Amino acid sequence: MTDIDPVEIKRIRWRSRRGLLELDIVLERFLANGFDQLTTAELAAYRKCLELGDNDFLDYVNGKAEVDDPELAHIIGILRAV
Amino acid sequence: MTVPVRRFDAVIVGGGGAGMRAALQLSESGLKTAVLSKVFPTRSHTVAAQGGISASLGNVQEDRWEWHMYDTVKGSDWLGDQDAIEFMCRKAPEAVIELEHFGMPFDRLENGKIYQRPFGGHTQNNGETPVQRACAAADRTGHAMLHTLYQRNVRANTQFFVEWMALDLIRDEAGDVVGVTALEMETGEVYIFHAKAVLFATGGAGRIYAASTNAFINTGDGLGMCVRAGIPLEDMEFWQFHPTGVAGAGVLITEGVRGEGGILLNANGERFMERYAPNLKDLAPRDFVARSMEQEVLEGRGCGPNKDYVLLKLDHLGPDIIKQRLPGIREIAIKFAGVDPIKEPIPVIPTCHYMMGGIPTNYRGEVVIPQGDNPEARVNGFYAAGECACASVHGANRLGTNSLLDLVVFGKSAGDSMVEFIRNEMPTWKPLPANAAERSLARISRLDNQTNGEDVTEVRTAMQRTVQARAAVFRNSENLALGVKEIQEVAERVKRIQIKDKSKVFNTARVEALELENLIEVAVATLISADARKESRGAHAHADFQQRDDEVWMKHTLYYGDDRRLTYKPVHTKPLSVDYIPPKERTF
């Protein structure tokens, strides 16, 4: 992840603050453990997840909804395991 | 140091349901309106509201706003202001239909009308039978409301400042509000927002508790800003709780688990509810179970390394029942408690959900404070709506589905009042005081220069543990007095919090430190207000004063942060058009 603008990393960290507590908890754990090891492609996918509405995002993370976007499936898998 | 100034007719702090409803009213009136929000507006905590929005539409069963008003007054345990409650319940049908016209996708009946579902506390004919009054968009009502209001605001040219954190209220010599200071997270720069009128819609502050269902953003920023600017906070002793949230996480475990046979155990493995409620045991009423759980913890029979939770045991039900009847609960327990309830009990604790108190307002959304003989003098140019405001419609206890209603009714009402004020009384901007940004700059500079200070996370945890232990659901004189002492000690530590990262751009550590400065004001207000109220009313259940005492205590608390003193003001007993609903014992 060394080639990513450090400001962008900080921005992504802030955007991991959500409107739903459940997501806050999962993403906080992920930021502390796993986030720093993301590849550039995984980071791009994570950034895309952050654009999701909170309910959809949580349904993916909880496994309540299937991820139909192949770009997101891998990173959601990582988040499900957090 | 020169601070850049941006000028708007109206500035709204907070981009949730209340803030966006108010903004819409202002923008559609042609006024230049800014909304400041820490996060993207559709990711405000309003998104967590699932249950619905109440209105006496009578689409499923006969209903009247007067019945809704009665339920709300009773729910408030007679601490709600009856003029504000009448206003809200009368306006509810119009507010919901307006949202429908804005395009909000409500669930519908076959005849095309909005479907309404039942919800606790809502009745026909003043408590006779339950009524279906809650309008919902599946289980995503808050989400649908946010999206609807956001789209309308974009169309109306509301200017959004996303990832901006308001820092302090700017009042001039006369005490009038003329703007706010705010931090642009992207640059770390402080700006002045100069306004003819300011509205706070900053939401709740449930993060003062160790156990809270509130998202991390709910840090009571508006309340902290008020306290620092000499505006009192109203009824801060009243917080709504759920009995069983996952300890250390806050995610709720539905009461249905105990209905299916789940039991609560203390550190000795004792089924303690048998002692408190020999007949109903674990199925005693929600508030009773919650208080018993906390009493176990306070008496040293809590579980875990800090002895601060009890256990909810399900494994005796067997894997089949757990998998069939409680699948969602198993997932929550595994994900948020790290235990599989088929094998192990779930750590649980009463969990804070909603703040009934807040910034004192009237039903017009105007912030009102005591001045001379007038207990409710308007603060010129200052408005508040939503969970951060105390109108007061929820009084000592909020009814489910009345919170979304509160957002839209009082958001709109405050917006209308602001339009009127700007048009009739404030044709141009009042001058900014010379030192407008001084307080905010001093706060930031202290954080940047503090050495040998305290760690933000450690102090925040100390605050949350204190508030949880002393001012959650189990309250008595001794415990509250201890809490007042302890929380003031924590407040001293907050003055010395330090951050390691001194960078400017998207400095989350700085934001969290500034948020803690807001949270602690709310925490101190809560303890001091709760310690003083020697009765039990609604969510404030006092073991040493178990009765409601209308003679002495049917009054609103006002807490002033500068000298941490309390005053009181009367409850409004005169509705706008109907007869007063006199107090009765609250039985169900």
Side-chain angles (χ1 to χ4, degrees), chain B residues 452-569:
Chain B
N452 297 319
E454 295 258 15
D455 178 75
V456 173
T457 308
E458 276 175 28
V459 179
R460 187 175 54 221
T461 304
M463 172 196 70
Q464 290 170 333
R465 284 206 182 133
T466 302
V467 182
Q468 186 77 32
R470 306 300 179 200
V473 289
F474 180 82
R475 296 176 174 189
N476 64 23
S477 299
E478 188 192 351
N479 204 33
L480 286 165
L482 275 173
V484 168
K485 182 175 158 282
E486 290 165 359
I487 202 66
Q488 297 194 83
E489 288 164 7
V490 178
E492 287 307 305
R493 296 175 63 189
V494 173
K495 291 181 185 163
R496 302 184 61 253
I497 50 173
Q498 183 179 349
I499 49 174
K500 292 196 188 97
D501 180 357
K502 316 273 187 190
S503 67
K504 293 190 92 174
V505 176
F506 268 108
N507 184 340
T508 309
R510 171 180 287 143
V511 170
E512 287 179 359
L514 293 165
E515 287 175 332
L516 179 56
E517 292 181 349
N518 293 326
L519 282 167
I520 192 67
E521 301 290 0
V522 181
V524 175
T526 297
L527 260 309
I528 290 181
S529 303
D531 177 54
R533 186 174 282 271
K534 313 286 188 206
E535 67 157 351
S536 290
R537 182 184 296 271
H540 178 70
H542 198 307
D544 299 324
F545 304 92
Q546 296 192 7
Q547 300 302 313
R548 194 178 74 203
D549 180 357
D550 291 328
E551 199 67 41
V552 181
W553 286 106
M554 197 201 274
K555 57 186 179 186
H556 295 295
T557 307
L558 291 174
Y559 164 85
Y560 286 87
D562 45 2
D563 47 2
R564 296 184 179 159
R565 86 192 133 95
L566 301 176
T567 61
Y568 293 89
K569 67 171 184 176

Side-chain angles (χ1 to χ4, degrees), chain B residues 428-442:
Chain B
T428 186
W429 289 264
K430 283 191 89 177
L432 285 166
N435 56 356
E438 201 176 87
R439 183 190 289 121
S440 302
L441 294 175

Side-chain angles (χ1 to χ4, degrees), chain B residues 169 171 225-232 369 439 560-562 565:
Chain B
L169 195 59
R171 298 178 77 186
M225 288 189 271
C226 279
V227 168
R228 285 192 294 276
I231 307 271
I369 65 174
R439 183 190 289 121
Y560 286 87
D562 45 2
R565 86 192 133 95

Side-chain angles (χ1 to χ4, degrees), chain B residues 5-23:
Chain B
V5 178
R6 308 199 68 147
R7 207 175 244 197
F8 290 87
D9 291 317
V11 167
I12 297 195
V13 182
M20 287 206 287
R21 185 64 196 82

Side-chain angles (χ1 to χ4, degrees), chain B residues 282-530:
Chain B
D282 301 273
L283 296 176
R286 174 194 272 202
D287 58 332
F288 192 85
V289 172
R291 284 200 296 280
S292 308
M293 290 165 69
E294 280 212 342
Q295 198 161 346
E296 289 301 297
V297 168
L298 280 170
E299 290 175 5
R301 294 186 292 278
C303 307
N306 296 313
K307 294 173 160 293
D308 54 1
Y309 56 79
V310 298
L311 296 170
L312 178 58
K313 177 175 147 62
L314 302 181
D315 59 324
H316 57 285
L317 301 177
D320 292 344
I321 294 216
I322 293 174
K323 281 182 193 159
Q324 278 163 25
R325 297 201 200 147
L326 304 164
I329 294 310
R330 186 171 176 226
E331 277 164 33
I332 287 174
I334 291 172
K335 187 132 200 120
F336 297 105
V339 300
D340 183 347
I342 288 178
K343 298 179 206 138
E344 293 167 277
I346 312 170
V348 289
I349 193 72
T351 296
C352 166
H353 186 57
Y354 187 84
M355 173 179 88
M356 267 77 73
I359 304 164
T361 65
N362 56 23
Y363 67 85
R364 293 170 46 83
E366 296 162 337
V367 175
V368 287
I369 65 174
Q371 216 168 65
D373 291 339
N374 182 0
E376 298 188 328
R378 190 183 76 176
V379 179
N380 291 324
F382 193 29
Y383 302 79
E387 189 170 341
C388 77
C390 185
S392 154
V393 283
H394 309 303
N397 180 51
R398 177 186 63 93
L399 287 192
T401 70
N402 265 356
S403 48
L404 285 183
L405 180 61
D406 172 354
L407 304 187
V408 286
V409 169
F410 293 109
K412 182 179 183 185
S413 177
D416 283 336
S417 302
M418 292 168 83
V419 171
E420 203 180 302
F421 174 76
I422 291 168
R423 291 262 157 81
N424 300 337
E425 297 182 54
M426 203 54 56
T428 186
W429 289 264
K430 283 191 89 177
L432 285 166
N435 56 356
E438 201 176 87
R439 183 190 289 121
S440 302
L441 294 175
R443 288 172 65 204
I444 287 185
S445 141
R446 189 203 64 75
L447 276 176
D448 284 345
N449 297 317
Q450 179 76 50
T451 48
N452 297 319
E454 295 258 15
D455 178 75
V456 173
T457 308
E458 276 175 28
V459 179
R460 187 175 54 221
T461 304
M463 172 196 70
Q464 290 170 333
R465 284 206 182 133
T466 302
V467 182
Q468 186 77 32
R470 306 300 179 200
V473 289
F474 180 82
R475 296 176 174 189
N476 64 23
S477 299
E478 188 192 351
N479 204 33
L480 286 165
L482 275 173
V484 168
K485 182 175 158 282
E486 290 165 359
I487 202 66
Q488 297 194 83
E489 288 164 7
V490 178
E492 287 307 305
R493 296 175 63 189
V494 173
K495 291 181 185 163
R496 302 184 61 253
I497 50 173
Q498 183 179 349
I499 49 174
K500 292 196 188 97
D501 180 357
K502 316 273 187 190
S503 67
K504 293 190 92 174
V505 176
F506 268 108
N507 184 340
T508 309
R510 171 180 287 143
V511 170
E512 287 179 359
L514 293 165
E515 287 175 332
L516 179 56
E517 292 181 349
N518 293 326
L519 282 167
I520 192 67
E521 301 290 0
V522 181
V524 175
T526 297
L527 260 309
I528 290 181
S529 303

